[in-house]
Structure formats: C-alpha cells, structure tokens
Amino acid sequence: MPTEPRFADGIRLAVTTFTTLPVRAGRVDRAAAGTAMALAPAVGALLGAFLAAVLLLTAALAPPLVAAGVTVGLGALLTRGLHLDGLADTVDALGSYRRGAAALEIMKKPDVGPFGVVALVVVLLLQAAVLAELAGRSWPAALAAVAAATAAGRLGVALACRRGVPAARPEGLGALVAGTVGPVALVVGTAAVALLAVPAVPGRPWQGPLAVVAALAVAAGLGTHVVRRLGGITGDVLGATVEIATTLVYLGLALSG
C-alpha cells in the first residue's frame, strides 16, 4: 500500500480508537494499526488540550473541584469510557491470581468485581484531585499539564504495542496492534511528550519530563507483568495502561518539594 493512504488510514484509526469523533473509518489492518498506535500520543495531546480548556473555563465559573469533576467526566465520555472499563477488567483479572485463559475469561465478564471497583474509584479520585489543583495554575502550566498527562497515557499504549510484545488472544484489538510499534516512534513520542511537559510545573522544568518518564517506566513494568500472567496484551490491557500512565503523570506533576 502507498505510504500516504496508509498514513491517512492510521490517522483515522487513531482518532476512532482514542476518541468518539465521528471520523470516517479507513482501511483497518496491522500496517494502519501500527501507524495509529504511533500517533496515539498526538491524539492524546489534542484531547488533553481540549480538556484543559474545559477545566479552566469551568473553574472560572465554579469551584475547582467541580471543574475537575466535569473535566474527568467529559474525558470519559469522549473516550466512551473504554479505558476505564479496560482498567476495571484488567485489575479484576490480575487480582484473581489466575493465569492465561482463566484470567482472560474473567476479563470477558460484563460485571465489575471488587478489585475493579476500587481501581476505578482510586483513579478517578486522584485525577479529579490533581485537576482541581491544576485549575489554580497559570493557563500555560495547566494546558501543558493536562495535555502532557493525556498524551503520556496514549504513549503508554504505544509502548505496550512495541515490537516483540505478543497478543493474549488471536482476535480483538490486542491481536491487531500487538508488536506493531517500532523503536523510532517510541523515542520520538517520548521526547515530544517530555518536551510538552516542561512548562507544566512553573519554576521546575525538569519535573514534568521526569513524571512522564517515571510513568512510562511503571507502564513498561505493568506490561511485562501482564504478558507473564496473560500471555500477551488485550484491548482491556491497553485501556488500563492509558488510565494508569495518565494518573501517574498527574501525580508526578502535583508533587511539590
């Protein structure tokens, strides 16, 4: 396939996978999937910039915690809640201490277990708490913080889809995207997201990039553990990676010396 059509298909797939924007679907294959996963941080940065604007505008009319709650809720709506669902399913599977097919069967169940409920509550509370604090920062800092954290969550997905990482099932999103992202895309994506995070903490330009790198290190460790337990990645695992990496970057940006 020519490079330009493949790139366009990858952009469409990235947008439809990570947002609810009504974009016309293109060709869906592993080539397009690799492009989509490599572009995921860019989609995350744009989504984060929009959410930052919502946070700041709402904070001008309502208390910071209310603005933060609205922003978290809108973020879930704009991603169909799929990442939160993936987080709950993945934590339930890992919390069961089962392996392989038995753990994957737990992830397929429509209900949410106690581990998943706790994970959702903790992640949403932490994100709302940090966003409430970010609402009090200057608009460039808040914009950089939310955009970088949201982009880092999607960069975690690209990392989980790096070459050599298998899929846990022969079908589904995991099978489509596993092993499709090369090292160059990961290096470029990491550098771009780290640079985006530089203005996030006024007076401490190193803290944002450090938070991004630390979150990616945790995401990589989680990915290794998941492959060991499940045999590979799934769409739910990718959703969990988004929420965990995003939350960790938020926490890193909120820390003060």
Side-chain angles (χ1 to χ4, degrees):
M1 181 189 294
T3 301
E4 284 190 22
R6 185 179 68 181
F7 188 72
D9 289 336
I11 292 176
R12 293 190 189 98
L13 184 57
V15 173
T16 56
T17 300
F18 294 103
T19 75
T20 57
L21 290 178
V23 176
R24 180 176 60 86
R27 184 187 182 101
V28 178
D29 55 20
R30 282 183 60 81
T35 302
M37 296 304 102
L39 293 174
V43 176
L46 293 174
L47 175 62
F50 175 74
L51 293 176
V54 171
L55 174 69
L56 294 173
L57 289 173
T58 308
L61 304 171
L65 191 56
V66 173
V70 169
T71 304
V72 170
L74 182 60
L77 287 175
L78 291 176
T79 56
R80 304 182 190 88
L82 292 178
H83 304 145
L84 292 169
D85 179 68
L87 173 67
D89 288 343
T90 300
V91 172
D92 276 338
L94 296 178
S96 72
Y97 294 104
R98 297 182 183 178
R99 293 178 175 272
L104 291 172
E105 190 61 33
I106 291 175
M107 297 175 78
K108 283 185 177 180
K109 293 182 178 179
D111 59 322
V112 179
F115 286 109
V117 171
V118 171
L120 289 174
V121 170
V122 170
V123 162
L124 292 174
L125 282 176
L126 287 175
Q127 290 184 7
V130 174
L131 284 168
E133 193 276 334
L134 293 177
R137 296 185 184 181
S138 66
W139 75 261
L143 174 62
V146 180
T150 310
R154 280 69 184 171
L155 181 57
V157 170
L159 182 63
C161 296
R162 65 190 182 277
R163 290 174 186 165
V165 176
R169 300 188 183 101
E171 74 286 334
L173 179 62
L176 178 66
V177 301
T180 59
V181 180
V184 174
L186 292 176
V187 170
V188 172
T190 301
V193 177
L195 184 62
L196 180 61
V198 169
V201 184
R204 307 178 81 178
W206 51 267
Q207 186 168 337
L210 180 60
V212 169
V213 172
L216 291 177
V218 174
L222 172 66
T224 299
H225 179 65
V226 165
V227 170
R228 188 185 308 119
R229 288 283 303 277
L230 305 181
I233 62 170
T234 68
D236 283 333
V237 170
L238 299 181
T241 301
V242 168
E243 295 298 337
I244 291 171
T246 299
T247 303
L248 289 175
V249 173
Y250 277 142
L251 287 176
L253 297 176
L255 295 176
S256 58

